[in-house]
Amino acid sequence: MPISPDEPPDLIYPARGLGTLWETQTSTPPTALVGLIGRVRAQLLRLLETPTSSTELAVRLNVTTTAANQHLRALRAAGLLISARHGRSVLYRRSDLGDRLVRGM
């Protein structure tokens, strides 16, 4: 609500991912999943329950953005991820197949 009638109204909403902003550790993926697709890719799948950019994933996994993008491309080609452009960013999330793989392990 504006403070005075001369001011335009403001629309305020929480930023996406604010609840995970301070998370630095990820849970350890199951050994079977790590053996199948590797540690970094297994961690990526675990993190991609919600849409996330490659830059944020790289920071969380302590890898370069280039390395994160290479892993994301491989997982997307395998049908485990879905990507969508959001402004100037590309956000990735698990596909139904990726969800089943993570839950099944």
Side-chain angles (χ1 to χ4, degrees), residues 57-95:
L57 291 166
V59 169
R60 287 186 180 189
L61 295 174
N62 197 28
V63 298
T64 64
T65 304
T66 303
N69 280 321
Q70 289 173 350
H71 292 298
L72 290 166
R73 277 194 300 273
L75 292 169
R76 185 170 178 251
L80 300 174
L81 299 182
I82 297 169
S83 62
R85 181 160 292 284
H86 188 314
R88 291 187 295 167
S89 297
V90 176
L91 300 179
Y92 297 87
R93 69 173 175 84
R94 287 191 310 244
S95 66

Side-chain angles (χ1 to χ4, degrees), residues 27-30 33 41-49 94 102:
S27 60
T28 305
L33 185 58
R41 290 181 183 175
Q43 287 177 316
L44 279 170
L45 274 181
R46 294 291 295 245
L47 288 172
L48 287 170
E49 186 174 359
R94 287 191 310 244
V102 169

